[in-house]
Amino acid sequence: MRIIVCGAGRVGSTIARYLAEDGNDVVLIDTDEERLMDLTSTMDVRPVVGFASYPSVLEQADAQDTDMLIAVTASDEVNMVTCQAANSLFKVPTKIARLRSNEYTNQKWRKFYTHDALPIDVVISPEVEIARSIRRNISFPGAFEVIPLAMDKVYLLGIHCDEVCPMINTPLRQLTELFPDVNAVVAALVRDSKLIIADSSTRILAGDDVYVIVPSEAVHRILTLFGRDQERAQSVLILGGNNIGLNLARYLEKSSHMHVTLIEEKEERAKYLAETLMQTTVIQGDFLNTALLEEADIDVIETVIAVSSKDEDNILASLMAKRYGVEQTVSVIEKPLYSQLVVNLGIDVIIDPKDIMVSTILQHVRRGKIYAAYSIRSGLCEVLEADAFDTFEYTGKALRDVRLPAGVIIGAIVRDAEALPLRGDTVIESGDRLVLFADAEAVKQVEKMFSVGLEFF
């Protein structure tokens, strides 16, 4: 696939690298020539220097022969005009734009993004997606990763296993024997930053991050078995009143049982938030000020979520919250180095905006009968949803006879809105939604497995 990525910031460069490593023909456009040269020296993409919205720059990037354009520059307006030019002048089939302003992403104006108006096929709002991800995580406080799959019938859970985890040192085959009624699959472990695709002989060790695919009705049972079942928070403190904090507070206000407090440093922004949020207590000040945290009753708060634009402040605030006895801390951290360093410091959930953006875009890049794809651990692996079709090589076969590529595991089969038990005699039928876990090297093989030839139509 030929793809143009407009904007070489953290998100744009991450997406470009990911797509290039996935075998796509990628052009990266940015106004910063020096940054482009640095990036293209380490990734297989073609650099084009200039404003992405300029027709001459798009022409230089061969937009007329492009399958997809992804506009993720720092300016919403540039992203919008770029999509317009790509459509009107070069007939680019698929146009994706990152829009951050609530003025543009408000559901009230969704009709604006049509072929006859502003031709953006997919509008992505990182602040909204991040807020949704945080909301999911605090709904299941025992997990550090929560991804709903197959129309919310199945979940991927990331669970950190410490020394007191009941599952430590037990081969996975014994877990199946001990709990035959639990329809869940341990798909993989991350140990010392290395991915291990699980099999029946795999043992979970202290310090492992375990990825489990589980039907929605069994989520709490799995968390209990891993010693991580916790009550949902009744009180939440949000640190930072940017668009992430605003969107998150709006989501949480819909939970009538939850008391939400938000701290924002800038006075004008705090006033706006207080006027906008009907059920959230807004406090103006520096959330690193211990006196202000105590004013917000941090000693009785159950969950603290740091969402400011400064990684360092988010990390420090989360660690301070732990010292006050907060049960769950969530921190938005963009810099990969920081994410690696804080793993063992006690922060319960780390939200990486780049992973969320890449996962959102992957929904529109994967081909064949792959319905959705989610990037895990900065592209270390993916979880994919794919539909079995009549000519799929394993349709009509029992799972015991399925031979998947190395690095791929079936984590769930959903049929008629129900997750099936995964036994050796379970037969894959046409129309089944399969949930697969794959390491980075095997993703392209999965895509080929679910490619549909012309004869299918």
Side-chain angles (χ1 to χ4, degrees):
M1 185 179 290
R2 295 177 62 85
I3 303 172
I4 296 176
V5 178
C6 305
R10 286 179 183 170
V11 170
S13 59
T14 300
I15 291 169
R17 183 183 302 277
Y18 196 98
L19 295 175
E21 290 176 351
D22 210 27
N24 296 287
D25 184 2
V26 180
V27 177
L28 182 59
I29 300 176
D30 199 87
T31 56
D32 189 335
E33 183 175 6
E34 184 176 351
R35 177 168 178 75
L36 277 179
M37 293 306 105
D38 287 342
L39 290 171
T40 53
S41 67
T42 60
M43 65 173 82
D44 186 19
V45 302
R46 180 161 69 89
V48 172
V49 181
F51 285 94
S53 57
Y54 286 3
S56 60
V57 174
L58 291 173
E59 184 179 43
Q60 185 182 346
D62 296 326
Q64 64 275 9
D65 298 318
T66 294
D67 301 300
M68 177 182 293
L69 179 139
I70 303 170
V72 289
T73 75
S75 167
D76 286 356
E77 290 74 18
V78 169
N79 294 339
M80 295 162 78
V81 173
T82 301
C83 288
Q84 180 72 71
N87 181 77
S88 301
L89 300 177
F90 301 103
K91 309 302 180 187
V92 176
T94 304
K95 300 155 292 292
I96 299 174
R98 176 179 66 179
L99 302 181
R100 283 179 155 160
S101 172
N102 287 332
E103 285 293 323
Y104 294 133
T105 58
N106 192 317
Q107 288 291 328
K108 184 178 180 180
W109 314 120
R110 295 299 287 183
K111 292 182 180 179
F112 184 38
Y113 308 109
T114 65
H115 184 78
D116 295 328
L118 186 58
I120 301 176
D121 301 293
V122 182
V123 173
I124 295 173
S125 172
E127 286 81 3
V128 170
E129 297 298 333
I130 292 167
R132 286 175 179 164
S133 178
I134 294 172
R135 180 183 60 173
R136 290 195 298 267
N137 275 279
I138 66 175
S139 295
F140 303 101
F144 66 82
E145 183 94 70
V146 180
I147 297 177
L149 302 160
M151 296 165 289
D152 294 351
K153 299 301 179 183
V154 177
Y155 281 84
L156 174 75
L157 301 178
I159 304 172
H160 181 71
C161 296
D162 53 23
E163 292 80 1
V164 298
C165 173
M167 298 300 165
I168 283 181
N169 293 322
T170 304
L172 295 184
R173 70 167 69 89
Q174 290 186 19
L175 297 183
T176 304
E177 296 168 0
L178 291 170
F179 308 103
D181 60 321
V182 178
N183 182 22
V185 173
V186 176
L189 319 172
V190 174
R191 180 180 300 158
D192 298 326
S193 300
K194 295 181 179 179
L195 180 72
I196 302 171
I197 298 296
D199 59 30
S200 60
S201 63
T202 301
R203 292 174 182 263
I204 298 170
L205 303 181
D208 287 352
D209 286 341
V210 181
Y211 288 91
V212 186
I213 298 173
V214 56
S216 55
E217 65 272 12
V219 167
H220 290 292
R221 178 79 190 280
I222 285 296
L223 290 173
T224 299
L225 292 178
F226 277 84
R228 303 291 295 182
D229 192 23
Q230 301 169 219
E231 293 293 329
R232 292 188 183 186
Q234 304 296 310
S235 56
V236 172
L237 175 60
I238 301 172
L239 306 179
N242 52 20
N243 284 339
I244 298 173
L246 172 59
N247 284 301
L248 179 59
R250 280 175 169 160
Y251 285 137
L252 298 182
E253 282 187 341
K254 297 176 183 178
S255 302
S256 57
H257 69 279
M258 191 173 293
H259 179 265
V260 183
T261 304
L262 186 151
I263 298 178
E264 164 57 32
E265 184 172 13
K266 296 179 181 178
E267 184 176 356
E268 185 176 347
R269 179 67 175 178
K271 288 181 179 178
Y272 168 77
L273 293 169
E275 293 169 357
T276 303
L277 298 167
M278 297 296 101
Q279 300 173 44
T280 298
T281 301
V282 178
I283 300 174
Q284 189 263 317
D286 180 3
F287 62 68
L288 293 178
N289 184 318
T290 55
L292 194 66
L293 290 174
E294 290 169 4
E295 179 186 337
D297 295 326
I298 193 171
D299 55 326
V300 296
I301 293 287
E302 294 166 298
T303 297
V304 168
I305 306 166
V307 299
S308 81
S309 59
K310 296 181 180 179
D311 288 357
E312 298 85 354
D313 289 355
N314 293 341
I315 294 169
L316 184 56
S318 296
L319 296 178
M320 291 169 61
K322 277 298 184 183
R323 292 191 62 182
Y324 278 99
V326 172
E327 293 180 13
Q328 183 187 34
T329 55
V330 180
S331 189
V332 174
I333 302 176
E334 290 197 33
K335 298 176 183 175
L337 177 60
Y338 287 169
S339 296
Q340 297 167 14
L341 291 175
V342 304
V343 167
N344 297 317
L345 294 182
I347 300 175
D348 298 293
V349 179
I350 296 171
I351 301 292
D352 185 340
K354 296 189 298 300
D355 267 0
I356 293 172
M357 283 292 292
V358 169
S359 292
T360 305
I361 289 172
L362 280 179
Q363 318 310 313
H364 310 282
V365 175
R366 293 284 174 237
R367 288 179 268 187
K369 298 293 284 183
I370 293 180
Y371 174 79
Y374 303 87
S375 174
I376 307 295
R377 303 290 274 250
S378 297
L380 188 64
C381 48
E382 286 186 27
V383 59
L384 306 101
E385 297 180 43
D387 288 341
F389 48 97
D390 289 342
T391 57
F392 175 53
E393 64 176 308
Y394 296 120
T395 296
K397 291 189 177 181
L399 289 181
R400 67 167 65 92
D401 299 321
V402 173
R403 299 292 181 265
L404 295 173
V408 181
I409 187 169
I410 294 177
I413 299 176
V414 176
R415 181 183 301 158
D416 298 327
E418 182 180 350
L420 303 179
L422 296 186
R423 298 187 292 260
D425 59 356
T426 300
V427 176
I428 297 173
E429 295 182 3
S430 180
D432 285 351
R433 174 66 52 84
L434 308 183
V435 175
L436 302 103
F437 195 99
D439 64 31
E441 294 180 358
V443 168
K444 291 301 291 184
Q445 291 175 276
V446 174
E447 194 173 62
K448 289 179 181 177
M449 286 171 54
F450 289 92
S451 61
V452 181
L454 290 175
E455 66 275 7
F456 180 78
F457 300 99

